[in-house]
């Protein structure tokens, strides 16, 4: 496909796009390729869970009513819509139960944005261009890797996790350019600069409306890729064409900084892309794909360290914590990002499921009483049970400034009996540090999908995702995902 030359090769956007255009799968180490395929599998498992949740069906129905049939698959519904609508709805499913991957310091839910856009692009290009060759698994994997690498770097260049404290939802801000870069790579746009630039020009005007709907906010940033990349393919000029468009968002710096050391696995990305904010030092010597964590709990990512604190205390003080009725009080100490996102008081009752997943007080109470935080823990009757509310009313969330910029968390529990108080601190949640092993990712997928798809089909999906490099046509995987699935909350 034809493409325009990079208008400003020395700018932030130009350098990112040149790197993405030049990258080959042979440049990517085997462990990074394996991790990327594991992220794809994890994302698919989350989509299978999310496809028929009650709120997912509410979100899906008006789209089915308003949008005409198309050429892009909707997960779990045995239906097809246009590329833009399919991207939006599949992203909503994947992020629908707070189980998908996240980069804890960027922060970003990468795969829920990237995979639906890439799947839709792969199907649409074959349907609309009869001469187009199949999108191979290797091509798809390379494009996904571009997005997994670029999304967190862009996020870290734009104040990272501090964005949550400023009241913004990170995926809706950081996700768009990552999607544009990934889809451009998939479609063979040598210079995806304009797709990235147009993305931010359009998004600036609609952000105020989009951010009001939390579950759609992130996913809408991926949806826009269809029109924007179509414009880029038609070589429509975009004079802005730069990630400097971020300058319109106070209090962000107008300069995008992306720093990676010369030890990075792809030396072409080494050094400063643009002078400005400093990137998280921990990412300077490695790739971002291996730093993307997987969520082990059906709760907002910033609260996973709180849950891990409770699990650690339960393992260390099993007898003391066996009866939650004896607890006098619980204190959860959080950094600004997690506190502003999840430390709010639970005043409005009854709680809805999303509210419960976003509340530090609720997830800690549920873990203390139920001993787990899986989809079954979030049935409407369970999240609003009297024993959960009694413990929520005994719980206090505190902001600790020294925890800012990280997900370090401390939980203290006091009891009616003097001398039994316990306390523990976790620096990072499991899934981030330590990262989930590949075997744990497979176990999570198998646990999530049990009973939702037939066992042989679940195994086939896993085999196709983890053997992606052998796929001649990624449509083979997409076709399996399109088939009907069951509801995770029965």
């Amino acid at each position: 496909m034809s493409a325009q030359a990079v208008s400003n090769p020395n700018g932030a956007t130009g350098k990112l796009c040149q790197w993405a255009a030049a990258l080959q799968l042979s440049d990517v180490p085997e462990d990074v390729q394996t991790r990327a395929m594991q992220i794809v599998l994890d994302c698919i498992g989350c989509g299978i869970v999310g496809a028929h949740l009650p709120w997912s069906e509410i979100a899906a129905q008006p789209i089915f009513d308003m949008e005409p049939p198309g050429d892009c698959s909707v997960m779990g519904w045995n239906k097809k819509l246009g590329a833009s609508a399919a991207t939006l709805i599949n992203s909503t499913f994947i992020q629908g139960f707070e189980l998908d991957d996240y980069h804890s310091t960027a922060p970003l839910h990468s795969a829920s944005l990237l995979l639906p856009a890439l799947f839709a692009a792969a199907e649409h290009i074959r349907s609309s261009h009869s001469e187009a060759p199949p999108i191979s698994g290797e091509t798809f994997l390379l494009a996904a890797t571009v997005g997994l690498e670029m999304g967190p770097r862009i996020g870290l260049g734009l104040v990272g996790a501090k964005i949550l404290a400023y009241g913004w939802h990170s995926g809706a801000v950081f996700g768009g350019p990552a999607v544009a870069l990934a889809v451009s790579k998939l479609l063979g746009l040598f210079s995806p600069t304009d797709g990235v630039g147009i993305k931010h020009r359009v998004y600036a005007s609609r952000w105020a409306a989009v951010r009001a709907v939390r579950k759609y906010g992130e996913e809408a940033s991926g949806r826009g890729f269809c029109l924007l990349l179509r414009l880029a393919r038609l070589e429509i000029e975009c004079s802005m064409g730069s990630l400097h468009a971020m300058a319109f968002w106070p209090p962000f710096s107008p300069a995008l900084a992306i720093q990676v050391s010369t030890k990075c696995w792809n030396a072409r990305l080494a050094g400063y892309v643009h002078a400005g904010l400093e990137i998280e030092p921990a990412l300077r010597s490695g790739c971002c794909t291996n730093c993307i964590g997987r969520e082990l709990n059906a709760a907002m990512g910033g609260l996973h360290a709180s849950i891990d604190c409770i699990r650690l205390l339960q393992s260390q003080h099993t007898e003391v914590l066996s009866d939650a009725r004896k607890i006098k009080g619980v204190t959860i100490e959080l950094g600004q990002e997690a506190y502003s996102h999840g430390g709010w008081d639970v005043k409005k009752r009854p709680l809805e499921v999303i509210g419960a997943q976003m509340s530090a007080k609720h997830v800690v109470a549920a873990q203390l009483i139920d001993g787990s935080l899986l989809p079954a823990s979030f049935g409407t009757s369970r999240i609003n049970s009297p024993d959960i509310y009694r413990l929520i009313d005994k719980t206090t969330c505190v902001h600790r400034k020294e925890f800012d910029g990280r997900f370090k968390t401390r939980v203290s529990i006091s009891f009616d009996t003097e001398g039994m108080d316990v306390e523990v601190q976790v620096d990072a949640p499991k899934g981030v540090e330590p990262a989930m092993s590949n075997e744990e990712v497979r176990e999570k997928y198998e646990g999530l999908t049990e009973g939702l798809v037939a066992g042989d089909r679940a195994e086939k999906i896993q085999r196709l995702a983890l053997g992606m490099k052998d796929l001649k046509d990624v449509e083979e995987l997409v076709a399996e995902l399109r088939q009907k699935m069951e509801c995770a909350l029965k």
Side-chain angles (χ1 to χ4, degrees), residues 61-80:
Q61 200 54 58
I63 296 179
F64 290 136
D65 291 343
M66 293 187 294
E67 297 281 351
D71 49 23
C72 300
S73 300
V74 175
M75 290 184 69
W77 286 75
N78 205 20
K79 293 183 178 182
K80 288 188 174 185

Side-chain angles (χ1 to χ4, degrees), residues 298-372:
M300 187 260 289
L303 304 180
H304 285 214
S306 300
I307 300 165
D308 285 355
C309 282
I310 300 302
R311 284 182 175 153
L312 190 56
L313 288 173
Q314 287 173 321
S315 67
Q316 295 173 344
H317 308 280
T318 305
E319 186 174 348
V320 173
L321 290 172
S322 61
D323 188 352
R325 293 172 298 181
K326 296 179 180 178
I327 293 175
K328 181 179 180 181
V330 180
T331 300
I332 310 168
E333 300 172 69
L334 303 159
Q336 178 63 37
E337 296 78 17
Y339 178 79
S340 62
H341 223 45
W344 43 277
D345 288 332
V346 183
K347 294 179 179 178
K348 184 180 179 181
R349 301 177 184 181
L351 267 176
E352 296 295 334
V353 176
I354 294 174
Q357 292 177 306
M358 300 293 289
S359 166
K361 291 185 177 184
H362 181 273
V363 298
V364 163
Q367 179 63 39
L368 278 166
I369 295 172
D370 294 342
S372 66

Side-chain angles (χ1 to χ4, degrees), residues 203-255:
Y203 204 71
S205 66
R206 70 176 185 174
W207 171 246
V210 173
R211 72 174 186 165
V213 187
R214 196 258 171 189
K215 282 297 177 191
Y216 274 157
E218 266 182 276
E219 289 70 34
S221 74
R223 177 181 184 175
F225 96 92
C226 297
L227 172 61
L228 305 180
L229 271 298
R230 181 66 176 171
L231 292 175
R233 285 187 63 224
L234 294 174
E235 300 185 323
I236 292 178
E237 291 286 345
C238 173
S239 59
M240 187 160 72
S242 173
L243 287 167
H244 294 305
M246 290 292 193
F248 64 77
W249 283 317
F252 300 151
S253 163

Side-chain angles (χ1 to χ4, degrees), residues 87 91 112-122 179 183 186 222-223 225-226:
T87 299
S91 292
S112 64
L113 302 174
L114 293 167
L115 261 65
L118 291 170
F119 282 140
V179 171
V183 176
L186 188 81
R223 177 181 184 175
F225 96 92
C226 297

Side-chain angles (χ1 to χ4, degrees), residues 40 44 71 73 75 78 80 118-120 122-124 126 133-138 140 445 456-483 485:
V40 170
I44 288 171
D71 49 23
S73 300
M75 290 184 69
N78 205 20
K80 288 188 174 185
L118 291 170
F119 282 140
E123 288 191 283
H124 178 70
R126 290 293 305 285
I135 300 293
S136 70
E138 286 191 340
F140 188 93
Y445 167 83
D456 56 345
R457 188 154 66 90
E459 288 180 16
K460 183 177 182 180
I461 291 170
Q462 181 176 176
R463 185 174 68 255
L464 293 173
L466 297 182
M468 182 171 291
K469 290 195 291 185
D470 297 326
L471 283 178
K472 302 300 182 186
D473 188 346
V474 76
E475 164 63 20
E476 185 179 354
L477 173 58
V478 178
E480 294 296 331
L481 301 180
R482 184 169 58 244
Q483 303 307 311
M485 299 166 186

Side-chain angles (χ1 to χ4, degrees), residues 37-58:
M37 288 185 285
Q38 296 283 349
I39 291 172
V40 170
L41 178 66
D42 185 68
C43 180
I44 288 171
C46 297
I48 290 172
V49 169
H52 285 280
L53 293 170
W55 48 92
S56 295
E57 295 190 344
I58 291 171

Side-chain angles (χ1 to χ4, degrees), residues 414-485:
S414 60
F415 297 86
D416 294 325
T417 303
E418 189 175 345
M420 294 179 61
D421 297 358
V422 293
E423 179 181 292
V424 71
Q425 179 174 304
V426 168
D427 292 336
K430 181 174 172 58
V432 174
E433 185 59 46
M436 287 177 68
S437 68
N438 292 337
E439 181 57 35
E440 287 174 322
V441 173
R442 289 192 290 271
E443 290 175 357
K444 176 186 172 183
Y445 167 83
E446 291 165 3
L448 289 177
T449 58
E450 185 177 1
L452 304 185
V453 295
D456 56 345
R457 188 154 66 90
E459 288 180 16
K460 183 177 182 180
I461 291 170
Q462 181 176 176
R463 185 174 68 255
L464 293 173
L466 297 182
M468 182 171 291
K469 290 195 291 185
D470 297 326
L471 283 178
K472 302 300 182 186
D473 188 346
V474 76
E475 164 63 20
E476 185 179 354
L477 173 58
V478 178
E480 294 296 331
L481 301 180
R482 184 169 58 244
Q483 303 307 311
K484 192 74 169 64
M485 299 166 186

Side-chain angles (χ1 to χ4, degrees), residues 13 16-18 20-21 143 146-147 150-151 154 176-186 192-193 195-196 229 243:
T13 308
L16 288 180
C17 293
Q18 289 178 92
V146 166
M150 289 295 96
I154 292 167
V179 171
L181 286 160
V183 176
S184 294
K185 187 67 175 177
L186 188 81
T193 307
V196 178
L229 271 298
L243 287 167

